Amino acid sequence: MATTALRSSRASLSDRSCGFRAASFAFRLFTYAITVAVFLFLTLSLLFTSSTNPSDLSTGFDSGSYGVGSIRRSVLALKSDPLKPRLDQIRKQADDHRSLVLAYSSYARKLKLENAKLVRVFAELSRNYTDLIAKPGYRALFESDLSSIDESVLRQFEKEVKERIKVTRQLIAEAKEQRSKERFSSLIAAKSIPKSLHCVAMRLMEERIAHSDKYSDEGKATPPELEDPKLYHYAIFSDNVVAASVVVNSAVKNQKEPWKHVFHVVTDKMNLGAMQVMFKVRDYNGAHVEVKAVEDYKFLNSSYVPVLRQLESANLQKFYFENKLENATKDTTNMKFRNPKYLSMLNHLRFYLPEMYPKLHRILFLDDDVVVQRDLTGLWKIDMDGKVNGAVETCFGSFHRYAQYMNFSHPLIKEKFNPKACGWAYGMNFFDLDAWRNEKCTEQYHYWQNLNENRTLWKLGTLPPGLITFYSTTKPLDKSWHVLGLGYNPSISMEEIRNAAVVHFNGNMKPWLDIGMNQFRPLWTKHVDYDNEYIQACNFGL
């Protein structure tokens, strides 16, 4: 009976949790719709304001139509009546705002939002604009055969239009403010550590402390496999014990000969013990797993690494720690770049792979938010054509070009790089370490990182300096190797996901968080080791 009651309680909690996440996800979709609607509005405005050639002006009125842009005054009419340009301006303002609320309403309906009240408000505003223009007292203003316009009627029409525009702007401002708060909340949720995940790390650490001799590699000789260049080597840098284990679990499961694969897991000193236990208590079918801390690499110090030196500076500490909360909420973009992960050397280790693994020729870098879905040994068979970095390009149209990541108003950036060059993704990168050494890529990274001490070339993060460092040394990989966006884009097709070698949960909605997207979460959770006693003890995933 007690067991049945407990299961019932858990089911109830799970239902409520799912309902909350569904409502939260619906609202995030609505905020996305607002962004698209504003973009649509700006595009329409540009089209209307640019359509001012004589052929457009000479088009007559369609007395039976009152849609956006349907009314055009003739050149003669504009010259003969000074009030007509004013009427056109008022009418255009009304049409523009009507278009905007129609866009809001359309997208909201399409997404089937629960917030029906707001949908009805936007729809009502749209009808108000239409009804206003259709009023018998105002229809006369738009009859093309009138020789003059009654100024008193025009004034009243202008007053009513402005009243509706005021209401529209107020509603849109409120929607934007709500969107800003939602973005802020999303950032907070994304950077928080779930209680169950923290519990797992603590339980693992307790085990490490209780049985230190069992898990320590100190004083032991380095197994030759860890330095054997004939094997397949992977680098995973993470402070998330469950996420790192999922990467290794999924990779091992999909390799035909797992004993030929070596996983180099690097974490920080605080999580080292937990990582050591996590990877010692599981059998990986002969695959080799090395766990080390950043601090084990003695060459990574502030006298050699520009990022570490900059992190010690007063200016950067002020940037991170002396900004008031209310300022952060006003600018969630800047808050993103104040993410504490940028203070961690784990985020910058990827630029030191040749020095960390001096005996290796090639290595595959994997982020801790990826899942491997098929054998990856084919990457080692790719002809890199002398290039250093094998990566999937992310640009389409004008998006994800270099101009989005760097400050092209800076003369150095403008001189050295093409703003239209295609960006590529971090998360699954195949590095030719010999080519890296020949091209002196780490030295290039240091050169640009030193120049960017005041954040004038780019803000923060590792993608911009990566785009710079490997600007002319990146080989594009087939897109099926690496499919991105499972942490922010609900529209990725399942066919594309099924065909991917690696899927990447980049974005805020990580699969181990409550805000993760339910349709993609099983791709990750099926590789969680739920037989692990520490994961069970912490009710991880419930």
Side-chain angles (χ1 to χ4, degrees):
M1 289 295 291
T3 303
T4 304
L6 178 59
R7 288 176 179 170
S8 176
S9 173
R10 285 182 176 175
S12 176
L13 286 171
S14 176
D15 290 344
R16 289 198 292 272
S17 175
C18 290
F20 172 78
R21 288 197 294 268
S24 174
F25 179 60
F27 187 77
R28 287 196 299 275
L29 288 179
F30 174 67
T31 62
Y32 171 73
I34 290 176
T35 303
V36 177
V38 170
F39 175 76
L40 177 63
F41 168 57
L42 293 174
T43 305
L44 288 171
S45 298
L46 179 63
L47 289 172
F48 283 123
T49 53
S50 63
S51 182
T52 56
N53 58 61
S55 62
D56 288 334
L57 293 173
S58 63
T59 304
F61 285 98
D62 178 0
S63 59
S65 175
Y66 296 94
V68 177
S70 63
I71 298 175
R72 294 285 185 273
R73 307 292 288 176
S74 69
V75 176
L76 290 177
L78 287 171
K79 290 181 179 180
S80 63
D81 190 340
L83 293 177
K84 288 179 181 177
R86 182 175 160 194
L87 172 62
D88 284 342
Q89 184 180 19
I90 297 168
R91 175 62 187 278
K92 185 180 183 306
Q93 288 178 338
D95 278 341
D96 285 346
H97 284 77
R98 177 176 175 272
S99 297
L100 185 56
V101 296
L102 276 173
Y104 273 60
S105 180
S106 173
Y107 274 94
R109 285 196 189 94
K110 184 177 179 180
L111 295 172
K112 299 180 180 179
L113 295 176
E114 295 179 4
N115 196 344
K117 180 180 178 181
L118 196 55
V119 176
R120 288 196 298 271
V121 169
F122 285 130
E124 183 62 30
L125 274 173
S126 173
R127 284 193 295 271
N128 283 346
Y129 282 113
T130 303
D131 294 344
L132 176 63
I133 295 170
K135 278 186 178 181
Y138 296 143
R139 287 182 66 93
L141 291 172
F142 306 105
E143 293 177 3
S144 56
D145 58 349
L146 279 182
S147 58
S148 63
I149 294 173
D150 187 330
E151 186 170 1
S152 62
V153 176
L154 177 60
R155 285 179 178 174
Q156 182 60 31
F157 176 71
E158 182 178 17
K159 180 181 178 182
E160 294 197 41
V161 166
K162 287 183 175 180
E163 286 175 355
R164 284 161 174 75
I165 287 175
K166 182 179 178 180
V167 172
T168 300
R169 288 176 174 170
Q170 183 178 353
L171 281 170
I172 291 172
E174 290 173 359
K176 286 181 178 178
E177 182 181 359
Q178 189 62 42
R179 176 174 176 264
S180 178
K181 290 178 180 178
E182 171 67 14
R183 287 182 63 194
F184 178 70
S185 298
S186 176
L187 285 170
I188 293 295
K191 309 314 171 189
S192 300
I193 300 175
K195 183 178 179 180
S196 59
L197 182 58
H198 178 72
C199 171
V200 172
M202 291 300 99
R203 292 292 185 104
L204 291 167
M205 183 59 74
E206 287 175 2
E207 169 66 12
R208 175 65 175 79
I209 294 170
H211 304 93
S212 57
D213 295 340
K214 182 179 179 180
Y215 300 103
S216 176
D217 292 325
E218 190 174 347
K220 297 179 181 179
T222 301
E225 295 85 3
L226 301 184
E227 299 178 330
D228 187 349
K230 295 179 182 178
L231 301 181
Y232 303 103
H233 292 263
Y234 304 77
I236 304 162
F237 307 145
S238 175
D239 58 2
N240 185 326
V241 290
V242 177
S245 71
V246 165
V247 178
V248 177
N249 294 346
S250 63
V252 170
K253 181 180 179 180
N254 287 283
Q255 308 313 317
K256 296 176 182 177
E257 300 174 304
W259 55 90
K260 291 184 178 181
H261 296 260
V262 183
F263 299 89
H264 303 272
V265 179
V266 182
T267 187
D268 53 32
K269 201 72 172 179
M270 184 173 70
N271 290 284
L272 178 62
M275 286 284 190
Q276 288 173 331
V277 177
M278 176 64 86
F279 288 104
K280 286 275 189 180
V281 297
R282 182 183 171 104
D283 176 33
Y284 290 98
N285 296 325
H288 312 278
V289 181
E290 176 191 46
V291 179
K292 298 186 75 172
V294 176
E295 292 80 2
D296 293 331
Y297 298 93
K298 303 302 181 184
F299 71 90
L300 295 172
N301 53 65
S302 58
S303 63
Y304 178 65
V305 179
V307 168
L308 287 177
R309 185 174 64 254
Q310 291 165 10
L311 291 176
E312 294 174 357
S313 71
N315 284 339
L316 200 60
Q317 290 178 14
K318 181 179 179 180
F319 176 78
Y320 276 109
F321 301 116
E322 293 187 13
N323 288 277
K324 296 180 180 178
L325 179 62
E326 57 266 28
N327 292 334
T329 58
K330 289 177 183 176
D331 188 352
T332 51
T333 300
N334 281 339
M335 181 192 170
K336 172 185 175 181
F337 291 108
R338 289 187 174 90
N339 188 325
K341 75 177 184 179
Y342 297 123
L343 294 172
S344 172
M345 190 59 203
L346 283 175
N347 207 44
H348 301 272
L349 280 181
R350 63 194 72 187
F351 292 104
Y352 298 95
L353 288 167
E355 293 161 283
M356 295 173 70
Y357 309 106
K359 295 184 179 181
L360 302 184
H361 304 304
R362 292 185 168 191
I363 196 166
L364 180 62
F365 170 78
L366 295 174
D367 265 341
D368 67 358
D369 54 354
V370 307
V371 169
V372 178
Q373 299 192 131
R374 71 168 190 250
D375 192 315
L376 298 178
T377 54
L379 286 166
W380 276 262
K381 300 174 184 176
I382 292 175
D383 183 356
M384 291 288 285
D385 300 320
K387 303 293 185 181
V388 176
N389 171 34
V392 169
E393 292 183 331
T394 55
C395 57
F396 58 96
S398 62
F399 295 98
H400 293 289
R401 304 282 175 173
Y402 269 52
Q404 289 182 271
Y405 301 102
M406 289 169 273
N407 177 19
F408 273 87
S409 63
H410 194 288
L412 269 177
I413 295 293
K414 187 175 182 180
E415 177 187 352
K416 297 290 185 180
F417 305 99
N418 179 1
K420 295 182 180 179
C422 188
W424 43 265
Y426 261 135
M428 193 216 73
N429 303 81
F430 187 70
F431 289 111
D432 185 324
L433 300 183
D434 291 332
W436 184 318
R437 297 178 184 108
N438 292 335
E439 295 288 342
K440 301 185 184 303
C441 291
T442 300
E443 288 86 338
Q444 283 292 313
Y445 164 67
H446 283 175
Y447 170 78
W448 287 102
Q449 194 71 53
N450 281 323
L451 289 175
N452 194 47
E453 184 163 359
N454 294 323
R455 301 177 302 282
T456 55
L457 305 183
W458 67 88
K459 289 185 179 179
L460 287 172
T462 53
L463 182 55
L467 294 174
I468 287 176
T469 301
F470 306 113
Y471 176 56
S472 58
T473 59
T474 294
K475 179 182 178 66
L477 300 180
D478 187 275
K479 291 185 181 297
S480 65
W481 281 110
H482 184 191
V483 169
L484 298 102
L486 278 70
Y488 70 89
N489 182 7
S491 302
I492 305 172
S493 73
M494 292 310 297
E495 181 181 3
E496 187 179 6
I497 289 173
R498 280 192 297 270
N499 293 331
V502 170
V503 291
H504 194 172
F505 289 83
N506 58 311
N508 285 338
M509 290 178 272
K510 303 297 185 190
W512 56 83
L513 299 175
D514 285 340
I515 61 174
M517 286 186 274
N518 289 330
Q519 69 267 42
F520 300 143
R521 195 191 302 270
L523 298 168
W524 187 84
T525 55
K526 71 180 180 181
H527 297 291
V528 175
D529 185 8
Y530 287 111
D531 292 331
N532 183 301
E533 61 179 293
Y534 308 103
I535 289 178
Q536 288 180 355
C538 294
N539 294 321
F540 184 85
L542 297 181

